[in-house]
Short mmCIF file of all heavy atoms in Angstrom, two decimals:
data_model
loop_
_atom_site.label_atom_id
_atom_site.label_comp_id
_atom_site.label_asym_id
_atom_site.label_seq_id
_atom_site.Cartn_x
_atom_site.Cartn_y
_atom_site.Cartn_z
N MET A 1106 5.69 18.46 10.58
CA MET A 1106 5.31 17.41 9.65
C MET A 1106 4.44 16.38 10.39
O MET A 1106 4.70 16.04 11.52
CB MET A 1106 6.58 16.77 9.12
CG MET A 1106 6.43 15.89 7.90
SD MET A 1106 5.76 16.53 6.36
CE MET A 1106 6.83 17.85 5.89
N ILE A 1107 3.44 15.90 9.72
CA ILE A 1107 2.51 14.92 10.28
C ILE A 1107 3.17 13.55 10.31
O ILE A 1107 3.81 13.14 9.35
CB ILE A 1107 1.21 14.87 9.46
CG1 ILE A 1107 0.49 16.21 9.52
CG2 ILE A 1107 0.31 13.75 9.94
CD1 ILE A 1107 -0.71 16.30 8.63
N SER A 1108 2.99 12.83 11.41
CA SER A 1108 3.51 11.47 11.53
C SER A 1108 2.35 10.48 11.52
O SER A 1108 1.34 10.71 12.19
CB SER A 1108 4.30 11.30 12.82
OG SER A 1108 4.64 9.94 13.00
N PHE A 1109 2.50 9.42 10.75
CA PHE A 1109 1.50 8.36 10.73
C PHE A 1109 2.03 7.12 11.42
O PHE A 1109 1.50 6.03 11.25
CB PHE A 1109 1.09 8.05 9.29
CG PHE A 1109 0.19 9.11 8.70
CD1 PHE A 1109 0.73 10.21 8.06
CD2 PHE A 1109 -1.18 9.02 8.83
CE1 PHE A 1109 -0.08 11.19 7.53
CE2 PHE A 1109 -2.01 10.00 8.30
CZ PHE A 1109 -1.45 11.10 7.66
N SER A 1110 3.09 7.26 12.19
CA SER A 1110 3.67 6.16 12.94
C SER A 1110 2.61 5.56 13.86
O SER A 1110 1.88 6.29 14.54
CB SER A 1110 4.86 6.66 13.76
OG SER A 1110 5.47 5.60 14.42
N GLY A 1111 2.49 4.25 13.86
CA GLY A 1111 1.49 3.58 14.68
C GLY A 1111 0.12 3.49 14.02
O GLY A 1111 -0.80 2.92 14.58
N LYS A 1112 -0.01 4.02 12.82
CA LYS A 1112 -1.28 3.98 12.08
C LYS A 1112 -1.16 3.01 10.92
O LYS A 1112 -0.08 2.80 10.36
CB LYS A 1112 -1.63 5.36 11.51
CG LYS A 1112 -1.69 6.46 12.52
CD LYS A 1112 -2.87 6.30 13.44
CE LYS A 1112 -2.92 7.49 14.40
NZ LYS A 1112 -3.99 7.37 15.35
N THR A 1113 -2.28 2.41 10.53
CA THR A 1113 -2.33 1.53 9.37
C THR A 1113 -3.25 2.15 8.34
O THR A 1113 -4.36 2.58 8.67
CB THR A 1113 -2.84 0.13 9.74
OG1 THR A 1113 -1.96 -0.43 10.73
CG2 THR A 1113 -2.89 -0.80 8.54
N VAL A 1114 -2.77 2.20 7.09
CA VAL A 1114 -3.52 2.81 6.00
C VAL A 1114 -3.82 1.75 4.95
O VAL A 1114 -2.92 1.04 4.51
CB VAL A 1114 -2.71 3.97 5.37
CG1 VAL A 1114 -3.46 4.58 4.20
CG2 VAL A 1114 -2.37 5.03 6.41
N LEU A 1115 -5.08 1.63 4.55
CA LEU A 1115 -5.51 0.73 3.48
C LEU A 1115 -5.64 1.56 2.21
O LEU A 1115 -6.34 2.58 2.19
CB LEU A 1115 -6.85 0.09 3.81
CG LEU A 1115 -7.56 -0.65 2.68
CD1 LEU A 1115 -6.75 -1.87 2.24
CD2 LEU A 1115 -8.96 -1.05 3.09
N ILE A 1116 -4.94 1.12 1.16
CA ILE A 1116 -4.98 1.85 -0.12
C ILE A 1116 -5.42 0.89 -1.21
O ILE A 1116 -4.77 -0.12 -1.46
CB ILE A 1116 -3.60 2.44 -0.46
CG1 ILE A 1116 -3.14 3.39 0.65
CG2 ILE A 1116 -3.65 3.16 -1.81
CD1 ILE A 1116 -1.72 3.87 0.51
N THR A 1117 -6.55 1.19 -1.85
CA THR A 1117 -7.01 0.40 -2.99
C THR A 1117 -6.48 1.04 -4.26
O THR A 1117 -6.22 2.25 -4.29
CB THR A 1117 -8.55 0.31 -3.02
OG1 THR A 1117 -9.10 1.62 -3.13
CG2 THR A 1117 -9.09 -0.37 -1.77
N GLY A 1118 -6.30 0.24 -5.29
CA GLY A 1118 -5.72 0.76 -6.52
C GLY A 1118 -4.28 1.19 -6.29
O GLY A 1118 -3.80 2.16 -6.87
N ALA A 1119 -3.60 0.48 -5.42
CA ALA A 1119 -2.28 0.89 -4.93
C ALA A 1119 -1.15 0.71 -5.93
O ALA A 1119 -0.10 1.31 -5.77
CB ALA A 1119 -1.96 0.12 -3.65
N ALA A 1120 -1.33 -0.10 -6.96
CA ALA A 1120 -0.21 -0.45 -7.84
C ALA A 1120 0.20 0.65 -8.80
O ALA A 1120 1.26 0.57 -9.40
CB ALA A 1120 -0.53 -1.72 -8.62
N GLY A 1121 -0.59 1.68 -8.94
CA GLY A 1121 -0.22 2.72 -9.91
C GLY A 1121 -0.87 4.05 -9.60
O GLY A 1121 -1.76 4.15 -8.75
N GLY A 1122 -0.39 5.07 -10.28
CA GLY A 1122 -0.99 6.40 -10.21
C GLY A 1122 -1.08 6.97 -8.81
O GLY A 1122 -0.13 6.95 -8.04
N ILE A 1123 -2.26 7.50 -8.50
CA ILE A 1123 -2.49 8.16 -7.21
C ILE A 1123 -2.32 7.17 -6.05
O ILE A 1123 -1.80 7.53 -5.00
CB ILE A 1123 -3.88 8.81 -7.18
CG1 ILE A 1123 -3.94 9.96 -8.17
CG2 ILE A 1123 -4.23 9.30 -5.77
CD1 ILE A 1123 -5.33 10.53 -8.40
N GLY A 1124 -2.73 5.93 -6.25
CA GLY A 1124 -2.59 4.93 -5.18
C GLY A 1124 -1.14 4.69 -4.81
O GLY A 1124 -0.79 4.65 -3.62
N ALA A 1125 -0.28 4.53 -5.81
CA ALA A 1125 1.15 4.30 -5.54
C ALA A 1125 1.79 5.53 -4.92
O ALA A 1125 2.61 5.41 -3.99
CB ALA A 1125 1.87 3.92 -6.83
N ALA A 1126 1.43 6.71 -5.40
CA ALA A 1126 1.97 7.94 -4.83
C ALA A 1126 1.55 8.09 -3.37
O ALA A 1126 2.35 8.49 -2.52
CB ALA A 1126 1.51 9.15 -5.65
N THR A 1127 0.31 7.76 -3.09
CA THR A 1127 -0.19 7.83 -1.72
C THR A 1127 0.54 6.83 -0.83
O THR A 1127 0.91 7.14 0.30
CB THR A 1127 -1.71 7.57 -1.68
OG1 THR A 1127 -2.37 8.54 -2.50
CG2 THR A 1127 -2.25 7.65 -0.27
N ALA A 1128 0.77 5.63 -1.35
CA ALA A 1128 1.50 4.61 -0.59
C ALA A 1128 2.90 5.10 -0.24
O ALA A 1128 3.35 4.96 0.91
CB ALA A 1128 1.58 3.32 -1.40
N ARG A 1129 3.59 5.67 -1.20
CA ARG A 1129 4.95 6.17 -0.95
C ARG A 1129 4.95 7.28 0.11
O ARG A 1129 5.80 7.33 1.00
CB ARG A 1129 5.58 6.67 -2.24
CG ARG A 1129 5.94 5.55 -3.18
CD ARG A 1129 6.69 6.06 -4.42
NE ARG A 1129 6.87 4.99 -5.36
CZ ARG A 1129 6.06 4.71 -6.37
NH1 ARG A 1129 4.99 5.46 -6.59
NH2 ARG A 1129 6.31 3.69 -7.17
N LEU A 1130 3.99 8.19 0.00
CA LEU A 1130 3.88 9.30 0.95
C LEU A 1130 3.57 8.80 2.36
O LEU A 1130 4.24 9.20 3.33
CB LEU A 1130 2.79 10.28 0.49
CG LEU A 1130 2.59 11.50 1.37
CD1 LEU A 1130 3.82 12.41 1.34
CD2 LEU A 1130 1.36 12.27 0.91
N MET A 1131 2.59 7.93 2.49
CA MET A 1131 2.21 7.41 3.80
C MET A 1131 3.35 6.60 4.43
O MET A 1131 3.61 6.70 5.63
CB MET A 1131 0.95 6.54 3.70
CG MET A 1131 -0.30 7.29 3.32
SD MET A 1131 -0.87 8.42 4.61
CE MET A 1131 -0.35 9.98 3.94
N HIS A 1132 4.05 5.81 3.61
CA HIS A 1132 5.18 5.02 4.09
C HIS A 1132 6.28 5.95 4.59
O HIS A 1132 6.87 5.73 5.65
CB HIS A 1132 5.69 4.10 2.98
CG HIS A 1132 6.73 3.15 3.44
ND1 HIS A 1132 8.07 3.41 3.33
CD2 HIS A 1132 6.62 1.93 4.01
CE1 HIS A 1132 8.75 2.39 3.81
NE2 HIS A 1132 7.90 1.47 4.22
N ALA A 1133 6.55 7.02 3.85
CA ALA A 1133 7.59 7.98 4.24
C ALA A 1133 7.25 8.67 5.56
O ALA A 1133 8.16 9.08 6.29
CB ALA A 1133 7.77 9.02 3.14
N HIS A 1134 5.97 8.76 5.87
CA HIS A 1134 5.54 9.39 7.12
C HIS A 1134 5.26 8.38 8.22
O HIS A 1134 4.61 8.71 9.22
CB HIS A 1134 4.32 10.29 6.87
CG HIS A 1134 4.66 11.53 6.12
ND1 HIS A 1134 5.24 12.63 6.72
CD2 HIS A 1134 4.56 11.84 4.81
CE1 HIS A 1134 5.46 13.56 5.81
NE2 HIS A 1134 5.05 13.11 4.64
N GLY A 1135 5.73 7.14 8.04
CA GLY A 1135 5.71 6.16 9.12
C GLY A 1135 4.54 5.21 9.19
O GLY A 1135 4.47 4.38 10.10
N ALA A 1136 3.59 5.29 8.26
CA ALA A 1136 2.42 4.42 8.31
C ALA A 1136 2.75 2.99 7.93
O ALA A 1136 3.64 2.73 7.12
CB ALA A 1136 1.34 4.94 7.36
N SER A 1137 2.03 2.06 8.52
CA SER A 1137 2.00 0.68 8.04
C SER A 1137 0.95 0.65 6.94
O SER A 1137 -0.05 1.37 7.01
CB SER A 1137 1.62 -0.28 9.16
OG SER A 1137 2.61 -0.29 10.15
N LEU A 1138 1.18 -0.17 5.92
CA LEU A 1138 0.31 -0.14 4.75
C LEU A 1138 -0.29 -1.50 4.43
O LEU A 1138 0.38 -2.52 4.53
CB LEU A 1138 1.10 0.32 3.52
CG LEU A 1138 1.82 1.66 3.61
CD1 LEU A 1138 2.68 1.87 2.38
CD2 LEU A 1138 0.83 2.79 3.77
N VAL A 1139 -1.55 -1.48 4.03
CA VAL A 1139 -2.20 -2.61 3.38
C VAL A 1139 -2.51 -2.12 1.98
O VAL A 1139 -3.31 -1.21 1.79
CB VAL A 1139 -3.49 -3.06 4.11
CG1 VAL A 1139 -4.14 -4.20 3.36
CG2 VAL A 1139 -3.19 -3.44 5.55
N LEU A 1140 -1.80 -2.70 1.00
CA LEU A 1140 -1.92 -2.28 -0.39
C LEU A 1140 -2.78 -3.28 -1.15
O LEU A 1140 -2.48 -4.47 -1.16
CB LEU A 1140 -0.54 -2.19 -1.03
CG LEU A 1140 0.48 -1.32 -0.30
CD1 LEU A 1140 1.84 -1.44 -0.96
CD2 LEU A 1140 0.01 0.12 -0.25
N ALA A 1141 -3.84 -2.83 -1.78
CA ALA A 1141 -4.74 -3.70 -2.51
C ALA A 1141 -4.80 -3.27 -3.97
O ALA A 1141 -4.91 -2.08 -4.28
CB ALA A 1141 -6.14 -3.64 -1.90
N ASP A 1142 -4.70 -4.25 -4.88
CA ASP A 1142 -4.81 -3.97 -6.30
C ASP A 1142 -5.13 -5.28 -7.02
O ASP A 1142 -4.80 -6.37 -6.53
CB ASP A 1142 -3.51 -3.38 -6.86
CG ASP A 1142 -3.75 -2.62 -8.16
OD1 ASP A 1142 -3.88 -3.27 -9.21
OD2 ASP A 1142 -3.82 -1.39 -8.10
N ALA A 1143 -5.74 -5.19 -8.18
CA ALA A 1143 -6.08 -6.37 -8.97
C ALA A 1143 -4.88 -6.91 -9.73
O ALA A 1143 -4.90 -8.04 -10.21
CB ALA A 1143 -7.22 -6.05 -9.93
N GLN A 1144 -3.83 -6.11 -9.87
CA GLN A 1144 -2.65 -6.50 -10.64
C GLN A 1144 -1.51 -6.90 -9.69
O GLN A 1144 -0.95 -6.05 -9.00
CB GLN A 1144 -2.21 -5.36 -11.54
CG GLN A 1144 -3.29 -4.93 -12.52
CD GLN A 1144 -2.82 -3.78 -13.36
OE1 GLN A 1144 -1.71 -3.80 -13.87
NE2 GLN A 1144 -3.66 -2.78 -13.51
N ALA A 1145 -1.15 -8.17 -9.69
CA ALA A 1145 -0.17 -8.68 -8.74
C ALA A 1145 1.25 -8.17 -9.01
O ALA A 1145 1.95 -7.78 -8.07
CB ALA A 1145 -0.18 -10.21 -8.76
N ALA A 1146 1.69 -8.17 -10.25
CA ALA A 1146 3.09 -7.81 -10.55
C ALA A 1146 3.41 -6.36 -10.18
O ALA A 1146 4.41 -6.11 -9.49
CB ALA A 1146 3.42 -8.10 -12.00
N PRO A 1147 2.59 -5.38 -10.59
CA PRO A 1147 2.90 -4.00 -10.19
C PRO A 1147 2.78 -3.79 -8.68
O PRO A 1147 3.52 -3.00 -8.10
CB PRO A 1147 1.86 -3.16 -10.92
CG PRO A 1147 1.34 -4.02 -12.01
CD PRO A 1147 1.49 -5.42 -11.54
N LEU A 1148 1.89 -4.52 -8.04
CA LEU A 1148 1.73 -4.43 -6.60
C LEU A 1148 3.00 -4.93 -5.90
O LEU A 1148 3.50 -4.29 -4.97
CB LEU A 1148 0.52 -5.24 -6.14
CG LEU A 1148 0.13 -5.16 -4.68
CD1 LEU A 1148 -0.21 -3.73 -4.29
CD2 LEU A 1148 -1.05 -6.07 -4.40
N GLU A 1149 3.53 -6.04 -6.38
CA GLU A 1149 4.78 -6.59 -5.84
C GLU A 1149 5.94 -5.62 -6.06
O GLU A 1149 6.77 -5.41 -5.17
CB GLU A 1149 5.08 -7.93 -6.51
CG GLU A 1149 6.28 -8.64 -5.94
CD GLU A 1149 6.03 -9.27 -4.59
OE1 GLU A 1149 4.88 -9.54 -4.24
OE2 GLU A 1149 7.02 -9.48 -3.86
N ALA A 1150 5.99 -4.99 -7.23
CA ALA A 1150 7.05 -4.03 -7.53
C ALA A 1150 6.98 -2.83 -6.58
O ALA A 1150 8.01 -2.34 -6.11
CB ALA A 1150 6.95 -3.57 -8.98
N LEU A 1151 5.77 -2.36 -6.30
CA LEU A 1151 5.61 -1.25 -5.37
C LEU A 1151 6.08 -1.66 -3.98
O LEU A 1151 6.82 -0.92 -3.33
CB LEU A 1151 4.15 -0.79 -5.31
CG LEU A 1151 3.84 0.28 -4.26
CD1 LEU A 1151 4.64 1.56 -4.51
CD2 LEU A 1151 2.35 0.56 -4.22
N ARG A 1152 5.67 -2.82 -3.55
CA ARG A 1152 6.09 -3.32 -2.23
C ARG A 1152 7.60 -3.39 -2.14
O ARG A 1152 8.20 -2.96 -1.16
CB ARG A 1152 5.46 -4.68 -1.97
CG ARG A 1152 5.16 -4.92 -0.51
CD ARG A 1152 4.41 -6.18 -0.29
NE ARG A 1152 5.20 -7.28 -0.82
CZ ARG A 1152 4.84 -8.54 -0.81
NH1 ARG A 1152 3.67 -8.86 -0.31
NH2 ARG A 1152 5.60 -9.49 -1.29
N ASP A 1153 8.24 -3.90 -3.18
CA ASP A 1153 9.70 -3.99 -3.22
C ASP A 1153 10.33 -2.60 -3.19
O ASP A 1153 11.35 -2.39 -2.53
CB ASP A 1153 10.18 -4.76 -4.45
CG ASP A 1153 9.85 -6.24 -4.38
OD1 ASP A 1153 9.50 -6.73 -3.28
OD2 ASP A 1153 9.91 -6.89 -5.44
N SER A 1154 9.73 -1.64 -3.89
CA SER A 1154 10.29 -0.28 -3.93
C SER A 1154 10.20 0.41 -2.57
O SER A 1154 10.93 1.36 -2.31
CB SER A 1154 9.60 0.57 -5.00
OG SER A 1154 8.33 1.00 -4.57
N LEU A 1155 9.31 -0.08 -1.72
CA LEU A 1155 9.17 0.48 -0.37
C LEU A 1155 10.09 -0.24 0.62
O LEU A 1155 9.94 -0.09 1.83
CB LEU A 1155 7.71 0.40 0.09
CG LEU A 1155 6.74 1.26 -0.71
CD1 LEU A 1155 5.30 0.98 -0.28
CD2 LEU A 1155 7.07 2.73 -0.58
N GLY A 1156 11.00 -1.03 0.10
CA GLY A 1156 11.98 -1.70 0.95
C GLY A 1156 11.63 -3.12 1.30
O GLY A 1156 12.36 -3.77 2.03
N GLY A 1157 10.48 -3.62 0.81
CA GLY A 1157 10.10 -5.00 1.09
C GLY A 1157 9.90 -5.28 2.57
O GLY A 1157 10.06 -6.41 3.02
N ASP A 1158 9.58 -4.25 3.34
CA ASP A 1158 9.41 -4.37 4.79
C ASP A 1158 8.08 -5.06 5.11
O ASP A 1158 7.04 -4.42 5.20
CB ASP A 1158 9.47 -2.97 5.41
CG ASP A 1158 9.38 -2.98 6.92
OD1 ASP A 1158 9.25 -4.06 7.52
OD2 ASP A 1158 9.42 -1.89 7.51
N ALA A 1159 8.12 -6.38 5.30
CA ALA A 1159 6.90 -7.16 5.52
C ALA A 1159 6.18 -6.76 6.81
O ALA A 1159 4.98 -6.97 6.94
CB ALA A 1159 7.22 -8.65 5.54
N ALA A 1160 6.90 -6.18 7.76
CA ALA A 1160 6.27 -5.76 9.00
C ALA A 1160 5.41 -4.52 8.82
O ALA A 1160 4.44 -4.32 9.55
CB ALA A 1160 7.35 -5.48 10.06
N ARG A 1161 5.74 -3.69 7.80
CA ARG A 1161 4.99 -2.45 7.60
C ARG A 1161 4.21 -2.39 6.30
O ARG A 1161 3.35 -1.52 6.14
CB ARG A 1161 5.95 -1.25 7.62
CG ARG A 1161 6.39 -0.87 9.01
CD ARG A 1161 7.18 0.42 9.04
NE ARG A 1161 6.51 1.52 8.36
CZ ARG A 1161 7.16 2.48 7.73
NH1 ARG A 1161 8.47 2.47 7.63
NH2 ARG A 1161 6.50 3.46 7.15
N VAL A 1162 4.49 -3.30 5.36
CA VAL A 1162 3.84 -3.24 4.05
C VAL A 1162 3.30 -4.62 3.70
O VAL A 1162 4.06 -5.58 3.57
CB VAL A 1162 4.82 -2.76 2.96
CG1 VAL A 1162 4.11 -2.68 1.62
CG2 VAL A 1162 5.44 -1.42 3.33
N HIS A 1163 1.98 -4.70 3.54
CA HIS A 1163 1.33 -5.96 3.18
C HIS A 1163 0.56 -5.74 1.88
O HIS A 1163 -0.26 -4.82 1.80
CB HIS A 1163 0.40 -6.41 4.30
CG HIS A 1163 -0.29 -7.70 4.03
ND1 HIS A 1163 0.35 -8.90 4.07
CD2 HIS A 1163 -1.57 -7.96 3.70
CE1 HIS A 1163 -0.52 -9.86 3.78
NE2 HIS A 1163 -1.69 -9.31 3.56
N GLY A 1164 0.81 -6.56 0.87
CA GLY A 1164 0.10 -6.46 -0.40
C GLY A 1164 -0.95 -7.54 -0.55
O GLY A 1164 -0.71 -8.69 -0.18
N VAL A 1165 -2.10 -7.16 -1.07
CA VAL A 1165 -3.21 -8.10 -1.29
C VAL A 1165 -3.70 -7.94 -2.73
O VAL A 1165 -4.09 -6.85 -3.12
CB VAL A 1165 -4.38 -7.82 -0.32
CG1 VAL A 1165 -5.53 -8.79 -0.58
CG2 VAL A 1165 -3.94 -7.87 1.12
N THR A 1166 -3.63 -9.02 -3.49
CA THR A 1166 -4.17 -8.98 -4.86
C THR A 1166 -5.66 -9.25 -4.77
O THR A 1166 -6.09 -10.34 -4.38
CB THR A 1166 -3.48 -10.04 -5.75
OG1 THR A 1166 -2.08 -9.81 -5.71
CG2 THR A 1166 -3.97 -9.93 -7.17
N VAL A 1167 -6.44 -8.24 -5.09
CA VAL A 1167 -7.89 -8.34 -4.96
C VAL A 1167 -8.54 -7.32 -5.92
O VAL A 1167 -8.00 -6.25 -6.14
CB VAL A 1167 -8.35 -8.06 -3.50
CG1 VAL A 1167 -7.98 -6.68 -3.05
CG2 VAL A 1167 -9.83 -8.31 -3.32
N ASP A 1168 -9.68 -7.70 -6.46
CA ASP A 1168 -10.48 -6.78 -7.27
C ASP A 1168 -11.62 -6.29 -6.38
O ASP A 1168 -12.56 -7.04 -6.11
CB ASP A 1168 -11.02 -7.49 -8.51
CG ASP A 1168 -11.85 -6.60 -9.39
OD1 ASP A 1168 -12.09 -5.42 -9.03
OD2 ASP A 1168 -12.29 -7.06 -10.46
N VAL A 1169 -11.52 -5.08 -5.89
CA VAL A 1169 -12.52 -4.58 -4.94
C VAL A 1169 -13.91 -4.42 -5.57
O VAL A 1169 -14.89 -4.26 -4.85
CB VAL A 1169 -12.07 -3.26 -4.25
CG1 VAL A 1169 -10.83 -3.49 -3.42
CG2 VAL A 1169 -11.87 -2.15 -5.26
N ALA A 1170 -13.99 -4.47 -6.90
CA ALA A 1170 -15.29 -4.39 -7.58
C ALA A 1170 -15.98 -5.74 -7.61
O ALA A 1170 -17.15 -5.83 -7.98
CB ALA A 1170 -15.11 -3.85 -8.98
N SER A 1171 -15.26 -6.81 -7.25
CA SER A 1171 -15.80 -8.16 -7.30
C SER A 1171 -16.04 -8.68 -5.88
O SER A 1171 -15.10 -8.87 -5.11
CB SER A 1171 -14.82 -9.09 -8.02
OG SER A 1171 -15.18 -10.43 -7.82
N GLU A 1172 -17.30 -8.95 -5.55
CA GLU A 1172 -17.63 -9.48 -4.24
C GLU A 1172 -16.95 -10.82 -4.00
O GLU A 1172 -16.51 -11.12 -2.90
CB GLU A 1172 -19.14 -9.62 -4.09
CG GLU A 1172 -19.57 -10.00 -2.69
CD GLU A 1172 -21.08 -10.01 -2.52
OE1 GLU A 1172 -21.76 -9.25 -3.21
OE2 GLU A 1172 -21.55 -10.80 -1.68
N ALA A 1173 -16.83 -11.63 -5.02
CA ALA A 1173 -16.19 -12.95 -4.90
C ALA A 1173 -14.70 -12.81 -4.58
O ALA A 1173 -14.12 -13.64 -3.87
CB ALA A 1173 -16.37 -13.75 -6.16
N SER A 1174 -14.08 -11.79 -5.11
CA SER A 1174 -12.65 -11.58 -4.89
C SER A 1174 -12.40 -11.15 -3.46
O SER A 1174 -11.45 -11.51 -2.83
CB SER A 1174 -12.13 -10.53 -5.87
OG SER A 1174 -10.76 -10.32 -5.71
#
């Protein structure tokens, strides 16, 4: 099995669908995560579902389509 321990993964669109599934998979394989999404509440829920581990999971509310954001 592949280990992502010691690696950091940035996931955009992390609050739902493929982004959330990818976050769960990468977290299960030891990665630290930077989760980005435009929706704060679902992003917070995902972070909480991953154990709320602030050392390994950081959420950022941002719209990657907006340069100002």
Side-chain angles (χ1 to χ4, degrees):
M1106 194 59 59
I1107 297 174
S1108 172
F1109 286 88
S1110 183
K1112 305 290 183 182
T1113 301
V1114 178
L1115 168 65
I1116 301 172
T1117 61
I1123 293 170
T1127 302
R1129 288 186 187 94
L1130 181 66
M1131 293 292 103
H1132 187 266
H1134 288 281
S1137 294
L1138 304 173
V1139 178
L1140 306 174
D1142 201 281
Q1144 301 179 45
L1148 185 61
E1149 185 74 22
L1151 174 61
R1152 212 173 58 181
D1153 290 346
S1154 77
L1155 295 173
D1158 183 359
R1161 284 188 52 212
V1162 181
H1163 181 73
V1165 179
T1166 304
V1167 61
D1168 180 356
V1169 296
S1171 167
E1172 187 174 330
S1174 181

